């Protein structure tokens, strides 16, 4: 049972509202996980900074998307899972790769 619920930008603290509006402007929407983090501007800002830093990591994009798929399946955010499924396809993952990643496994040893 959730104790915190996802916030709409209008209901979020000022800094979180600004961050959510930026996300929505860039991506069209923000997932429940991110909107729930908006209760704490420091948490949301920290997560977004971490997410940005992870994009600069030297992991191959297909592997990064496999990890994201496994995490989003575990978290249960349908919006984020759909976004990473499309990103995985764009990175060259097959439907089998995507299905296995969602199960937390792969044919690739990494």
């Amino acid at each position: 049972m959730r104790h915190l619920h996802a916030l709409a930008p209008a209901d979020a603290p000022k800094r979180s509202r600004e961050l959510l509006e930026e996300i929505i402007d860039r991506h069209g929407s923000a997932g429940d996980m991110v909107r729930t983090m908006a209760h704490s501007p420091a948490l949301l800002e920290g997560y977004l900074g971490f997410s940005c830093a992870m994009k600069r990591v030297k992991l191959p994009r297909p592997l990064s998307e496999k990890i994201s798929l496994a995490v989003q399946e575990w978290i249960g955010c349908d919006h984020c899972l759909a976004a990473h499924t499309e990103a995985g396809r764009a990175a060259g993952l097959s439907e089998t790769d995507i299905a296995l990643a969602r199960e937390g496994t792969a044919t690739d040893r990494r």
Side-chain angles (χ1 to χ4, degrees):
M1 175 183 209
R2 288 186 183 189
H3 295 284
L4 294 174
H5 299 283
L7 296 175
D11 300 325
K14 183 178 187 273
R15 180 63 182 140
S16 291
R17 182 179 330 116
E18 294 166 354
L19 294 168
L20 288 174
E21 287 170 350
E22 288 176 24
I23 292 167
I24 292 168
D25 285 347
R26 277 185 290 164
H27 302 287
S29 64
D32 281 354
M33 181 182 79
V34 171
R35 292 186 306 115
T36 301
M37 287 184 199
H39 284 275
S40 168
L43 173 63
L44 181 56
E45 199 159 20
Y47 170 77
L48 294 174
F50 175 73
S51 181
C52 184
M54 287 301 295
K55 290 178 183 170
R56 295 188 299 265
V57 170
K58 299 297 181 200
L59 284 177
R61 192 71 191 162
L63 178 58
S64 174
E65 289 304 330
K66 286 180 184 180
I67 293 167
S68 294
L69 285 162
V71 169
Q72 293 308 324
E73 182 70 27
W74 182 76
I75 290 172
C77 178
D78 292 334
H79 172 79
C80 296
L81 186 58
H84 285 289
T85 298
E86 288 307 311
R89 287 182 184 124
L93 296 181
S94 69
E95 295 304 314
T96 300
D97 292 331
I98 291 168
L100 289 173
R102 290 181 63 178
E103 294 173 8
T105 190
T107 56
D108 180 349
R109 288 181 31 199
R110 293 186 296 173

